[in-house]
Amino acid sequence: MTRDALQPTARWYVRATVSVAVLGTVWCAAHLGAGIGIEAVAYLFVPAGGVLAAASVRHLTRTGRGLDPVAARFWRTVLVAVVLVTVGYAWLAADMLAHPDEVRTRSMPVPAAALAAIGFLIAVWALARVPVVASRGEQRWHMVLDRTIAFLGCTSVLWYAGIAPMLTAREPWSRQAMLLVGLGLLVAVGAVTKVSYLAGGPVDPTAMRFVAAGGGVPAGAVGVLAVQFGYIASVPAQAIVMPLAPVLIALGAAAQGRAVHRSRRDPDPAGMVLPYLATILVGVPLVAVAAGAPLRWPARMALVAAVLVTALVMVRQYLAYRENARLLRAAQDHQDRLRYEVSHDGLTGLANRALFRERLTAALAAGGPVAVLLIDLDDFKTVNDLLGHGAGDRLLVAMAGLLRAETGDDHLAVRVGGDEFAVLMTGNRADPQDLAERALAALTQPISEHRLLVRASIGIAVAAPGATLDSVLRDADVALYTAKQRGKAGIVRYEDGMGEPVLAHMQLGGELRRALDNDEFRVVYQPIVRLDRNWVIGVEALVRWHHPTRGLVSPADFIPAAERTGLIVPLGRFVLRETCRQAAAWLAEFGAGALKEAGLNVSARQLHDPDFVSDVATALRDSGLPRERLVLEVTESGVLRGPQISRTLHELDGMGIRLALDDFGTGESSLSLLRAVPAAIVKLDKSFVDGIEIDDGRPADARQAVARAVIQLAHALGLDTVAEGIESPEQVAALLELGYTRGQGFHLYEPMPADGVSRVLERQRAIEARAAKEVGVRRC
């Protein structure tokens, strides 16, 4: 049944029980005022209201759809309790109607009292089974103490003001009546204590309060009437006071019905106040005795309860003190942990940039000697790419441990960010050069669980008098940058004037974007020739920067800046498109046999770009250059940058594009690369060509061993070879003798613009035409 259908019926039961109570009040007034009816009639109103209250609870349990199982169990138990109490009072009414002359003095039949008492006890049991706020450990003991204090305090007052006066009254009531009054008060105290600790449901707190009032209000009123008026009070008690209990039970059932479709509320805040209120109430008997009330045994029992409550309050306060102390310690620990996390690196545990700047500022303000070391791991990105970020993190942790061991407690080791560390050194005994040398010496041994050999570049800056935080960090940055420019794995100490070339180099990187937008880059081509007849069969594209004020900028200057800034990707895209366009134009002008290949260098940064493969496909499609004519040259160090590059290379190979290993022989894994990389061409590095023609009396095989090994390995694997950096005819002769057929170098052709290559191709076409004509003349 829906809520809308439930409430009218629940309201009807409330009105019906109210009607019974009103009828009892009217009858009592008529009886006491005009003597209408016999006193035994007063006993009919309680069972009549009880029947209606039981019906309202039964209606809730049977038709209240959505009622929580715990709430349904509670109200079913309350229903049993109400039925038993109703039966007991119906029995009493029948007994009084059978003995109308003994109404004021006749006791409740024992079976009837037993039924009612069992009903009250079942109600107490139902209240005990209602769940309260979940708690564990000390919190659970806090709740138990609070509930015990509240229960004893309220019970003490009710005993002193309610039950005890009935026991000592001039006209004492029967034991059955006092037992039922006491149980009614027990239900009230239990419900009040329980409702203060409900966790917002499943039993509605308002409904629980009505149940508490249903036991406590009639019982308390009956006790007052018994003490003040004696036996004559039995009629108004039965006709006016006790019929209120069914009314309150029906109101509780209606409140639970309204709560079925209402969201649960937070626990009642009164639960925090109730123990304090009970502590005040338990003092009422003490105040009464102090005011002159006789110290009889009921008062003594109340005094014992007051002592117990006081002892429990002391225990509760001690537990609260312990809990507060624990919370304060936890808050302090949390604050310390937050302070540590704010000032330290989460991965390595070293001081972070914020603490570094704070300590450096304080050291500079103190005026003593201050030195800063900036340490950067060389090629750390390669570790991440090849072994994964987990291995990279463990390497950083190992590096942090190494710095701790070298710096000790005298200096501050810092992780600035990424793979960059720092050390702040203060005091007259600080020797930054010695520390830097010890750190590099420690890195000559493998570190981390992967047993990696890593290198580092270190920049040192010693604070000059009056130096600021920013100036010291800038000097250390310049020194580190210079160390990396000088070949890495080195130590550079900042000196005056060192920053100008670094600044110029950084400004050069800033000008690259403008140069790309202003079309300041040009592509030149170095021919690749057949060594036996000096015949051009291909070209390698190279990029040149024509700066408007600096003139021709060397690739050795701007290519590293392009790599560092990421502009190598758009720059490489420009070279790719221009090379494809120009090569297709040469093929269209001079024929398919004029040029077998057009190559260009590709950086690892470009191969990491997810759009690189599509850029190559677009350049080929737009230019019309056959895919087999394009050669992409990659360095050995470039292809060792992780699985992404390997996937890109295999995808390019699958497209029919030829790959060349540039500067072959200078890397660390040349032989394994020939199997791992789908290369079609091997380009022998210039360092192995230099001096290959020199005859200094040593066996030729000793000087030419590498070149011979490369050509033999390439032939065995079916790869083409190109010798780079040829600078003399003697080198050409030596290479031909070793079996090399193709090469490039300044002796053969210097890099030239596209029209220079066109003139070479035109000359070769003329030579071929004359040769063909001569062959034709001979045949004739």
Side-chain angles (χ1 to χ4, degrees):
M1 181 178 292
T2 63
R3 178 185 175 187
D4 293 338
L6 180 65
Q7 291 310 304
T9 305
R11 285 195 293 269
W12 183 89
Y13 283 117
V14 172
R15 293 192 190 101
T17 54
V18 170
S19 299
V20 171
V22 171
L23 182 61
T25 303
V26 172
W27 178 89
C28 183
H31 173 75
L32 294 178
I36 299 175
I38 59 175
E39 292 183 355
V41 175
Y43 291 84
L44 295 175
F45 298 104
V46 173
V51 170
L52 293 172
S56 69
V57 176
R58 182 176 180 276
H59 176 73
L60 172 66
T61 58
R62 288 177 61 88
T63 59
R65 295 178 62 183
L67 193 64
D68 187 273
V70 175
R73 182 187 65 189
F74 169 77
W75 285 105
R76 283 194 296 268
T77 309
V78 170
L79 174 61
V80 174
V82 172
V83 169
L84 289 176
V85 172
T86 300
V87 172
Y89 277 93
W91 193 323
L92 173 62
D95 184 73
M96 291 302 175
L97 289 174
H99 305 84
D101 297 333
E102 304 175 15
V103 170
R104 295 190 180 184
T105 57
R106 187 172 178 80
S107 298
M108 187 175 187
V110 174
L115 288 173
I118 292 172
F120 280 118
L121 290 175
I122 290 176
V124 172
W125 181 54
L127 291 169
R129 297 177 70 192
V130 175
V132 295
V133 179
S135 58
R136 294 181 180 180
E138 287 197 8
Q139 187 179 5
R140 182 178 181 182
W141 285 109
H142 293 170
M143 183 177 294
V144 169
L145 284 172
D146 287 345
R147 292 168 65 186
T148 304
I149 292 169
F151 183 82
L152 286 177
C154 295
T155 303
S156 174
V157 173
L158 293 176
W159 161 261
Y160 185 78
I163 303 298
M166 291 181 66
L167 295 174
T168 58
R170 293 188 306 274
E171 298 178 352
W173 284 32
S174 66
R175 292 180 180 178
Q176 296 92 315
M178 287 188 290
L179 174 64
L180 295 180
V181 169
L183 289 175
L185 294 175
L186 181 63
V187 170
V189 173
V192 169
T193 305
K194 174 71 73 168
V195 78
S196 299
Y197 296 94
L198 290 179
V203 180
D204 183 62
T206 302
M208 290 278 286
R209 292 188 181 95
F210 280 123
V211 172
V217 171
V222 168
V224 172
L225 291 174
V227 173
Q228 297 297 325
F229 303 103
Y231 295 140
I232 195 174
S234 61
V235 172
Q238 293 290 334
I240 299 175
V241 177
M242 294 185 65
L244 294 177
V247 174
L248 294 168
I249 295 298
L251 286 171
Q256 183 66 61
R258 289 193 300 271
V260 169
H261 299 283
R262 187 174 61 214
S263 60
R264 294 184 179 183
R265 297 174 294 181
D266 294 333
D268 194 335
M272 302 294 296
V273 179
L274 187 60
Y276 299 99
L277 179 62
T279 304
I280 296 173
L281 291 177
V282 81
V284 171
L286 299 178
V287 174
V289 171
L295 187 61
R296 299 173 182 173
W297 68 271
R300 289 192 177 94
M301 292 186 65
L303 293 179
V304 171
V307 172
L308 287 176
V309 168
T310 303
L312 291 174
V313 169
M314 293 176 63
V315 173
R316 178 65 177 87
Q317 289 301 109
Y318 172 71
L319 292 178
Y321 166 76
R322 282 181 46 183
E323 178 67 12
N324 290 338
R326 185 187 66 81
L327 292 175
L328 286 174
R329 287 195 302 272
Q332 184 63 44
D333 292 343
H334 181 67
Q335 186 176 6
D336 293 342
R337 185 168 60 255
L338 287 178
R339 189 181 298 112
Y340 179 86
E341 290 175 354
V342 167
S343 60
H344 287 76
D345 177 58
L347 176 64
T348 63
L350 297 180
N352 62 11
R353 182 189 294 269
L355 182 59
F356 175 47
R357 294 176 66 89
E358 178 184 330
R359 294 283 183 85
L360 178 56
T361 301
L364 291 173
V370 177
V372 169
L373 282 75
L374 285 186
I375 307 166
D376 188 84
L377 296 181
D378 298 332
D379 301 319
F380 176 74
K381 188 175 185 302
T382 303
V383 177
N384 273 340
D385 291 340
L386 291 179
L387 301 179
H389 290 278
D393 288 346
R394 288 187 285 274
L395 176 59
L396 294 175
V397 172
M399 183 64 189
L402 185 149
L403 283 180
R404 284 196 194 93
E406 295 298 333
T407 58
D409 298 329
D410 298 332
H411 311 297
L412 180 67
V414 183
R415 184 189 177 200
V416 180
D419 61 338
E420 188 172 325
F421 296 84
V423 177
L424 173 61
M425 306 184 71
T426 57
N428 294 320
R429 299 177 60 184
D431 186 351
Q433 186 70 29
D434 176 66
L435 177 59
E437 291 174 355
R438 285 190 284 114
L440 289 188
L443 288 176
T444 59
Q445 301 297 321
I447 64 173
S448 90
E449 62 185 56
H450 287 83
R451 309 305 297 162
L452 299 175
L453 272 175
V454 296
R455 302 182 302 174
S457 300
I458 302 178
I460 301 174
V462 177
T468 64
L469 169 73
D470 292 333
S471 66
V472 173
L473 293 180
R474 184 189 64 240
D475 293 348
D477 269 325
V478 169
L480 176 61
Y481 186 88
T482 304
K484 298 185 84 65
Q485 290 297 108
R486 291 179 181 178
K488 305 179 182 179
I491 302 169
V492 172
R493 184 168 182 153
Y494 179 81
E495 298 176 357
D496 290 340
M498 186 178 286
E500 282 82 9
V502 174
L503 180 60
H505 197 275
M506 298 179 73
Q507 289 175 339
L508 185 68
E511 295 180 14
L512 282 172
R513 168 50 60 185
R514 178 194 53 76
L516 280 168
D517 295 338
N518 294 344
D519 195 25
E520 295 177 7
F521 290 100
R522 298 291 183 269
V523 178
V524 296
Y525 304 89
Q526 184 173 37
I528 299 173
V529 305
R530 279 186 55 179
L531 297 179
D532 58 348
R533 48 184 300 210
N534 198 29
W535 194 265
V536 175
I537 60 172
V539 292
E540 178 183 353
L542 305 170
V543 65
R544 297 292 183 262
W545 183 7
H546 293 271
H547 195 280
T549 58
R550 302 184 186 186
L552 187 63
V553 181
S554 170
D557 293 331
F558 71 81
I559 291 297
E563 290 273 8
R564 187 183 66 253
T565 59
L567 291 175
I568 192 68
V569 174
L571 178 58
R573 188 181 301 119
F574 160 74
V575 175
L576 171 66
R577 296 181 66 86
E578 181 61 21
T579 301
C580 290
R581 184 198 64 77
Q582 185 60 62
W586 283 325
L587 292 178
E589 181 178 358
F590 299 105
L595 205 64
K596 291 184 177 181
E597 62 189 47
L600 67 148
N601 291 285
V602 177
S603 72
R605 187 73 174 265
Q606 289 176 268
L607 294 174
H608 266 294
D609 182 21
D611 296 327
F612 180 69
V613 174
S614 62
D615 287 343
V616 172
T618 300
L620 291 171
R621 184 179 61 252
D622 292 347
S623 65
L625 180 68
R627 297 185 176 190
E628 67 275 7
R629 300 297 178 99
L630 179 63
V631 175
L632 299 180
E633 300 182 10
V634 294
T635 61
E636 291 180 276
S637 59
V639 299
L640 289 173
R641 297 293 181 88
Q644 170 63 33
I645 289 183
S646 179
R647 286 193 296 270
T648 301
L649 293 176
H650 281 84
E651 191 171 351
L652 292 169
D653 179 65
M655 293 169 56
I657 297 167
R658 293 195 296 166
L659 303 175
L661 279 177
D662 198 14
D663 303 331
F664 187 78
T666 60
E668 298 176 358
S669 304
S670 298
L671 299 182
S672 62
L673 278 179
L674 290 176
R675 299 184 59 185
V677 177
I681 302 171
V682 172
K683 302 190 74 172
L684 183 67
D685 187 67
K686 181 180 184 299
S687 61
F688 301 116
V689 175
D690 290 342
I692 199 172
E693 78 288 359
I694 297 176
D695 183 6
D696 56 3
R698 299 173 57 190
D701 287 349
R703 188 176 299 279
Q704 301 170 2
V706 174
R708 180 178 290 107
V710 171
I711 190 69
Q712 291 175 349
L713 184 62
H715 286 167
L717 297 176
L719 306 179
D720 293 331
T721 56
V722 177
E724 297 182 295
I726 301 174
E727 296 182 351
S728 69
E730 291 78 13
Q731 290 178 349
V732 173
L735 290 168
L736 284 171
E737 185 178 350
L738 290 173
Y740 286 86
T741 59
R742 297 194 295 172
Q744 65 185 99
F746 275 37
H747 166 67
L748 303 172
Y749 286 100
E750 294 186 10
M752 61 185 69
D755 56 359
V757 176
S758 297
R759 287 192 295 270
V760 172
L761 294 178
E762 179 63 36
R763 186 170 62 250
Q764 291 185 168
R765 182 167 63 175
I767 294 173
E768 285 185 335
R770 286 196 303 270
K773 184 176 181 180
E774 291 175 0
V775 171
V777 170
R778 293 195 191 99
R779 288 180 180 177
C780 293

